[in-house]
Amino acid sequence: MLFICAGFIACTDDDKVKITEFTLTLTEPEDLNVTSISDLHVTFKNVNTGKLTTNTMTGTTGKLTLNEGLYNITVEGKMNYIVDEKNVEGQVKGYKESVNLVGTTSADNIKLFLFNSKADFVIEEVYFAGSTTLEGKQYSGDQYFKIYNNSDSVLYADGLVILESEFTTSRQYDYTPDIMSQAMTVTHIYAVPGNGKEYPVQPGESILICDKAIDHTIATPNSFDLRNANFEWYNDNDQDVDNPMVPNLDIIYSSTLTIWTLNNQGLKAYAIARMGVDKQTYLKDYLYECSYVNSGYTMTKNYYKFPNEWIIDAVNISNKAQYVWNVVDPSLDMGFTYCGEVASDKNRYNKSVRRKVLSTTPDGRKILKDTNNSTEDFEAKATPSLKQ
């Protein structure tokens, strides 16, 4: 099957532009009984120029002529599959970064996944860069997450887990074995306490989870009074501050011996999830031993892995200049968002990343955008919601 292409090869009139005949093969999701895939739209984004080329495919293999270059490829379409002897239609997506088209011919493969559009909790906002004092110095301790009920039903925050990635979006290695399609490699896992129905969240409402639930405006007017946060994360040692009036998150795993602070450059991924096993089983059975080459030396590390099937929502964060890859599977997030343009960008302070509003219901409830693409779903370098 061939791509249906039109109107984007005009630049080949310039004999100096090298072109490649690219063959793209799409692989069906392994865990589904797929009967058909249709309405496939493929977008090629030239990493260097930002130019977008969108085409359609009539099958799972197609050929296209493109200028040589480095591309990010996004696939969207429809898929029919069998569940309990019934035919179900769903949305299918795929994504691959840094596909290098070089030479007269080139080929690559992208794994498709079923996009789950069921409304649930989503990450509404991450305030990671921190604030500034009146003297322009960095102020930390006021980092926070806002988690939003994007459904039309009451959801319970009890047991909801916040994850931080072990890997950074600014440095890429070839980790062996590569488990990204099955799990997220994590460095912190904190969970909301509760007995199952202790912390209800109404449709269209948020919970605020912060580092230190104190009045930070005493130190700097650029910060916030977080004493009314719903939860705080607290490491029980002399370096942390605890507000006894605000419930602490339960620590499932933390790689730090001191306190957990979010990467203030924004070089991590964050996710929310629900554990599929208890804490003791997790710590026993979900170790991840991997190796990679760094400066000519083979490094062997032990991390923890968190199954993708437990994850509800994820966001990759970087700054634009340092971004090199996503550290979660494309089925969780196909893009990234940011507060800083470059490394150590002082303009990142006093800003957050905030999920965009898709629509508003007649009763005024906001529905936030959730396409599993943080580039599209989030407002970068935004004014923090607590400032508004």
Side-chain angles (χ1 to χ4, degrees), residues 27-299:
T27 303
E28 298 176 353
E30 297 177 355
D31 54 345
L32 294 176
N33 184 7
V34 178
T35 58
S36 67
I37 297 178
S38 61
D39 295 339
L40 289 165
H41 297 268
V42 187
T43 300
F44 296 82
K45 181 178 181 180
N46 189 301
V47 174
N48 296 317
T49 67
K51 180 181 178 181
L52 298 177
T53 302
T54 301
N55 300 274
T56 60
M57 289 180 67
T58 56
T60 54
T61 301
K63 292 184 178 180
L64 178 71
T65 301
L66 284 168
N67 292 340
E68 283 191 349
L70 192 65
Y71 290 85
N72 293 339
I73 306 175
T74 304
V75 183
E76 295 186 2
K78 295 179 180 178
M79 180 174 65
N80 287 281
Y81 55 100
I82 303 297
V83 178
D84 297 330
E85 300 183 350
K86 295 181 180 180
N87 188 59
V88 179
E89 182 180 287
Q91 187 177 7
V92 68
K93 292 189 178 187
Y95 180 75
K96 197 162 190 177
E97 295 178 305
S98 303
V99 179
N100 197 14
L101 274 59
V102 178
T104 56
T105 61
S106 182
D108 213 323
N109 176 278
I110 294 180
K111 294 181 180 179
L112 298 176
F113 59 87
L114 179 66
F115 173 65
N116 183 6
S117 59
K118 181 179 180 298
D120 204 328
F121 283 116
V122 295
I123 299 171
E124 178 184 358
E125 182 178 13
V126 187
Y127 186 78
F128 58 86
S131 307
T132 54
T133 66
L134 293 178
E135 295 76 27
K137 296 180 179 180
Q138 181 184 357
Y139 177 82
S140 60
D142 56 354
Q143 297 171 325
Y144 67 80
F145 296 93
K146 287 184 75 175
I147 311 300
Y148 186 81
N149 180 353
N150 211 30
S151 77
D152 59 2
S153 304
V154 176
L155 299 176
Y156 292 88
D158 307 50
L160 195 67
V161 169
I162 293 180
L163 312 169
E164 182 181 67
S165 67
E166 174 68 45
F167 304 151
T168 64
T169 53
S170 60
R171 181 172 294 181
Q172 183 177 11
Y173 296 107
D174 292 326
Y175 296 95
T176 304
D178 179 2
I179 64 166
M180 192 175 292
S181 63
Q182 291 85 42
M184 176 181 177
T185 306
V186 295
T187 186
H188 297 288
I189 310 172
Y190 285 64
V192 174
N195 57 23
K197 289 193 174 182
E198 192 172 341
Y199 298 108
V201 183
Q202 299 297 320
E205 292 189 357
S206 304
I207 56 172
L208 176 64
I209 303 174
C210 70
D211 182 1
K212 295 177 176 60
I214 63 176
D215 185 359
H216 297 275
T217 63
I218 296 173
T220 170
N222 291 325
S223 189
F224 326 99
D225 184 352
L226 297 178
R227 289 175 294 177
N228 292 321
N230 299 97
F231 304 95
E232 65 177 356
W233 64 87
Y234 172 69
N235 293 69
D236 190 7
N237 58 60
D238 294 338
Q239 298 186 39
D240 212 347
V241 177
D242 183 30
N243 181 347
M245 302 302 295
V246 176
N248 294 326
L249 298 182
D250 295 332
I251 302 176
I252 305 299
Y253 169 72
S254 179
S255 62
T256 182
L257 297 176
T258 54
I259 58 176
W260 175 35
T261 58
L262 311 186
N263 187 297
N264 70 20
Q265 296 249 27
L267 303 178
K268 296 274 191 169
Y270 297 96
I272 54 175
R274 292 194 182 275
M275 299 278 290
V277 296
D278 59 55
K279 176 179 177 178
Q280 290 71 27
T281 302
Y282 178 82
L283 295 176
K284 175 178 174 290
D285 295 342
Y286 288 84
L287 281 169
Y288 168 42
E289 181 178 316
C290 66
S291 61
Y292 61 96
V293 177
N294 183 12
S295 302
Y297 295 93
T298 299
M299 313 291 290

